[in-house]
Amino acid sequence: MPDISTKYMGLDLRSPVIIASGPLTSSLDGLKKAEDSGAGAVVLKSIFEEQIEEDASREALGNEQYLSHSDSHEYYAAMARDFYIDRYLTLLESAKKSLSIPVIASINCKSARTWVDYAERFSGCGADAIELNYFPIASNASVSGEKVDKALFEFAKVARSRISGKLSMKIGSFYSSLSSVIKKIDEIGMDALVLFNRPFRPDIDLKSLEVKGAQAISSDTEYGMSLRWTALMSAEVGLDIAANTGIHSADTLIKMLLAGAKAVEVCSAVMKDGYGVIRKMNEGLSAFMDEKGYSTLDDFIGKLAEENYERGDAWERVQFLKTIGQNNER
Ligand SMILES: Cc1cc2nc3c(=O)[nH]c(=O)nc-3n(C[C@H](O)[C@H](O)[C@H](O)COP(=O)(O)O)c2cc1C
């Protein structure tokens, strides 16, 4: 029986399949099902800095009859913040009590502000690691790409200097030079990087002429960006990469490991096909290792990463040189 355990940002995982932050990890019931189905770790549903701050302001304004006291605004805002954080801490504490797999807390951050305090409290309550979900939309035309990158690095630096525990960042793929962004995040000292988040996608309802959300879950063909950038960067950085987006099967999991990922994060596949998909991924991985004669994941993680593969330039190809159907003809 091959050993499918892995070490991801210093955490011992019995399987490389991590359940990504989302609806499945927002309740103890979902977390337990993930563990029972063979997941290696879970990332709790994010606490959203933006939502907390909005609600905190609304709560304060709703009590404006008391706002003649100079400290009232901050008092009501703090109460609203505490409400969210206490609820999150309760889930975290019960997850830590009930599960034996690592529990990673997740914060969706907009800026280097109050979230640092949340992160410190989560570490204090036993989170095995913290994942920071950082996804700015560069919609302000007067802000250059350089400034967008700088804000990301400042954010990462503050996080790293304030949080002493294991820390990862989950980022999007919309940077002009992803390789330099990934390298810099590594230099700042993050323990891991999740490549890539799949953002909310807007769409338009043609009947009501309103903006609505497009399909929330990924399809099983969406893994290409993550595969490419894992392969290009995994041997270049010291941090661990968890591949994310479009991983729906054992085959895609195996491809990500061959490209150099230490683990994968999975959300849509479980939402679509149920928790049984985690077991299928683990079984498919074991069967592949048996067939190839690998006894541990280290026997093949990164085998096809750009630096370890004699035709590594294939990962950089962006144009079709030949038409579909003739790709293998010489
Ligand atoms: C309904 C829904 C809610 C999500 N909520 C979060 C969240 O709170 N925090 C986060 O970091 N990612 C969140 N995600 C993103 C997933 O964790 C994951 O990164 C994304 O869905 C891509 O992986 P997948 O292809 O396996 O679904 C959410 C995804 C979905 C579909």
Side-chain angles (χ1 to χ4, degrees):
M1 184 77 176
D3 176 5
I4 62 164
S5 66
T6 187
K7 216 172 181 83
Y8 170 63
M9 62 163 148
L11 302 172
D12 290 313
L13 311 191
R14 61 183 179 166
S15 152
V17 181
I18 299 172
I19 305 305
S21 177
L24 302 161
T25 59
S26 62
S27 70
L28 190 56
D29 182 50
L31 297 168
K32 277 186 183 158
K33 283 184 180 145
E35 175 167 273
D36 293 345
S37 309
V42 285
V43 185
L44 297 187
K45 169 88 181 141
S46 301
I47 189 163
F48 280 72
E49 182 198 18
E50 186 183 4
Q51 186 186 6
I52 295 179
E53 291 309 308
E54 259 175 36
D55 285 9
S57 284
R58 203 174 309 123
E59 182 67 23
L61 289 174
N63 287 286
E64 59 199 349
Q65 69 269 33
Y66 305 119
L67 292 182
S68 51
H69 294 291
S70 57
D71 291 339
S72 303
H73 191 282
E74 190 38 44
Y75 172 74
Y76 285 108
M79 261 179 30
R81 262 183 226 124
D82 282 349
F83 168 76
Y84 278 105
I85 294 169
D86 286 349
R87 208 168 56 174
Y88 203 79
L89 289 175
T90 304
L91 177 65
L92 173 59
E93 278 171 349
S94 41
K96 280 303 298 169
K97 268 191 207 132
S98 309
L99 307 186
S100 53
I101 57 174
V103 177
I104 301 171
S106 166
I107 307 173
N108 184 296
C109 331
K110 261 199 118 179
S111 58
R113 286 187 305 176
T114 39
W115 61 267
V116 177
D117 302 328
Y118 314 156
E120 283 170 344
R121 290 175 70 181
F122 298 158
S123 297
C125 280
D128 293 288
I130 291 179
E131 184 177 288
L132 301 172
N133 175 9
Y134 182 89
F135 204 117
I137 286 286
S139 58
N140 184 342
S142 67
V143 177
S144 67
E146 200 182 348
K147 272 198 175 157
V148 173
D149 292 1
K150 212 170 149 206
L152 163 68
F153 303 144
E154 279 311 308
F155 172 87
K157 276 187 203 157
V158 172
R160 188 63 287 180
S161 67
R162 292 278 304 271
I163 300 163
S164 55
K166 298 181 195 333
L167 190 61
S168 64
M169 275 189 90
K170 182 181 193 183
I171 61 169
S173 55
F174 305 121
Y175 291 94
S176 57
S177 172
L178 260 173
S179 49
S180 76
V181 165
I182 292 171
K183 195 96 183 133
K184 183 82 184 172
I185 292 175
D186 184 41
E187 284 163 13
I188 288 170
M190 287 292 152
D191 299 297
L193 194 57
V194 183
L195 301 178
F196 296 101
N197 197 350
R198 181 178 188 274
F200 171 86
R201 291 157 191 231
D203 199 354
I204 290 177
D205 185 321
L206 288 179
K207 276 204 180 116
S208 64
L209 296 188
E210 280 178 304
V211 179
K212 61 171 190 174
Q215 163 104 329
I217 62 173
S218 66
S219 81
D220 61 3
T221 57
E222 284 183 46
Y223 62 86
M225 277 293 280
S226 178
L227 185 66
R228 164 177 281 170
W229 286 97
T230 300
L232 288 175
M233 297 308 296
S234 58
E236 297 249 348
V237 288
L239 54 69
D240 290 340
I241 292 177
N244 180 222
T245 290
I247 301 161
H248 287 232
S249 67
D251 282 3
T252 314
L253 155 68
I254 294 161
K255 290 175 192 180
M256 294 300 181
L257 297 173
L258 284 164
K262 286 289 184 71
V264 300
E265 289 196 5
V266 175
C267 173
S268 295
V270 188
M271 286 177 73
K272 187 162 91 44
D273 300 326
Y275 287 89
V277 80
I278 306 169
R279 184 152 293 130
K280 280 192 191 149
M281 285 185 182
N282 287 339
E283 286 169 1
L285 174 59
S286 293
F288 165 81
M289 291 169 71
D290 271 340
E291 188 191 320
K292 297 283 182 195
Y294 300 137
S295 48
T296 69
L297 296 190
D298 283 342
D299 292 344
F300 68 99
I301 282 183
K303 196 177 166 63
L304 296 187
E306 187 184 42
E307 294 212 345
N308 305 329
Y309 178 47
E310 72 275 12
R311 287 172 48 217
D313 59 338
W315 291 113
E316 301 204 18
R317 179 171 296 167
V318 287
Q319 302 294 348
F320 294 99
L321 296 181
K322 297 179 181 177
T323 51
I324 292 167
Q326 298 176 317
N327 284 342
N328 296 324
E329 290 174 17
R330 302 251 165 203

